[in-house]
């Protein structure tokens, strides 16, 4: 009987949603609250770009499925922390956006950088859906359950920890999810 990666799918889905909400909170603190909501479009862009990538590289990725799946989860864990740290070095100032053209360049750089974790999470989930398409209902259920728990869990974590500590926790749990994925597949 084959094992399906229910736990790692649920975990990566939970972490991606928790990361999205955390970024909204962090951007609400660091930038204007108006820019906090751009995170929703970043997540959608990451998932959409992943779908295009998976459509183009499907056969090659399926050939190396275990490596691609675990690798994308590990890249999510690493990039969730690193991309945010690097994004803090970008001198984006929303107050200058209307008259300083370079601010558009910095905003574009923020988008490119912060979309990466969502791209990797979506790659992992999409790869599982492609690989185990005959068992998609259970895997989709794990994905939805994880997303729901991640959305609820992050709200609880906001009461217990500072946002930057939560960012570290998400990154570490992403790497733990990669280790779990190794055992599942």
């Amino acid at each position: 009987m084959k094992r399906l990666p229910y736990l790692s799918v649920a975990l990566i889905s939970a972490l991606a949603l928790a990361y999205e909400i955390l970024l909204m909170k962090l951007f609400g603190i660091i930038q204007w609250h108006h820019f906090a909501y751009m995170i929703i479009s970043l997540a959608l862009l990451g998932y959409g770009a992943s779908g295009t990538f998976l459509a183009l590289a499907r056969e090659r990725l399926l050939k190396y499925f275990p490596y691609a799946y675990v690798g994308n989860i590990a890249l999510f864990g690493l990039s969730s922390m690193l991309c945010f740290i690097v994004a803090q070095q970008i001198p984006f100032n929303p107050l200058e956006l209307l008259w300083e053209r370079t601010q558009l360049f910095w905003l574009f750089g923020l988008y490119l950088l912060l979309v990466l974790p969502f791209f990797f999470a979506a790659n992992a989930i999409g790869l599982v859906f492609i690989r185990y398409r005959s068992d998609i209902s259970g895997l989709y259920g794990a994905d939805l359950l994880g997303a729901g728990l991640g959305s609820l869990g992050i709200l609880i974590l906001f009461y217990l920890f500072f946002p930057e500590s939560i960012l570290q926790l998400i990154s570490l749990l992403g790497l733990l999810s990669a280790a779990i994925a190794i055992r599942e597949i």
Side-chain angles (χ1 to χ4, degrees):
M1 184 173 163
K2 66 181 175 182
R3 293 181 61 179
L4 296 174
Y6 293 120
L7 184 57
S8 59
V9 166
L11 212 86
I12 194 65
S13 183
L15 293 172
L17 259 292
Y19 184 66
E20 181 179 356
I21 294 169
L22 176 64
L23 283 181
M24 289 176 67
K25 177 82 166 176
L26 288 168
F27 266 69
I29 295 168
I30 297 167
Q31 302 287 347
W32 283 0
H33 68 279
H34 307 304
F35 288 96
Y37 300 105
M38 82 176 193
I39 301 303
I40 297 168
S41 65
L42 279 171
L44 292 172
L45 178 62
Y47 275 70
S50 169
T52 303
F53 175 74
L54 290 174
L56 295 173
R58 164 188 251 157
E59 296 307 317
R60 180 175 213 124
L61 291 170
L62 285 176
K63 186 176 178 181
Y64 301 104
F65 173 77
Y67 303 108
Y69 179 60
V70 173
N72 274 294
I73 294 174
L75 285 170
F76 168 81
L78 293 171
S79 67
S80 61
M81 173 76 85
L82 294 175
C83 287
F84 183 77
I85 290 170
V86 173
Q88 295 310 297
Q89 306 308 309
I90 294 177
F92 174 64
N93 184 354
L95 294 172
E96 297 177 4
L97 193 58
L98 293 176
W99 63 83
E100 182 72 37
R101 290 188 189 260
T102 57
Q103 293 304 317
L104 288 173
F105 170 75
W106 296 125
L107 181 61
F108 181 70
L110 277 174
Y111 258 83
L112 286 179
L113 193 60
L114 294 174
V115 79
L116 288 175
F118 298 110
F119 176 80
F120 295 131
N123 274 346
I125 294 167
L127 273 171
V128 166
F129 287 168
I130 293 168
R131 171 73 181 256
Y132 302 108
R133 62 180 157 250
S134 62
D135 300 305
I136 198 153
S137 61
L139 290 166
Y140 190 60
D143 176 47
L144 290 176
L145 178 65
L149 291 175
S151 299
L152 180 62
I154 191 71
L155 296 177
I156 295 167
L157 288 175
F158 282 144
Y159 287 103
L160 300 174
F161 302 105
F162 290 112
E164 58 192 34
S165 298
I166 299 171
L167 181 62
Q168 294 169 356
L169 181 63
I170 288 173
S171 183
L172 286 173
L173 287 175
L175 296 175
L176 175 65
S177 182
I180 290 169
I182 290 171
R183 304 260 318 161
E184 285 185 319
I185 54 174

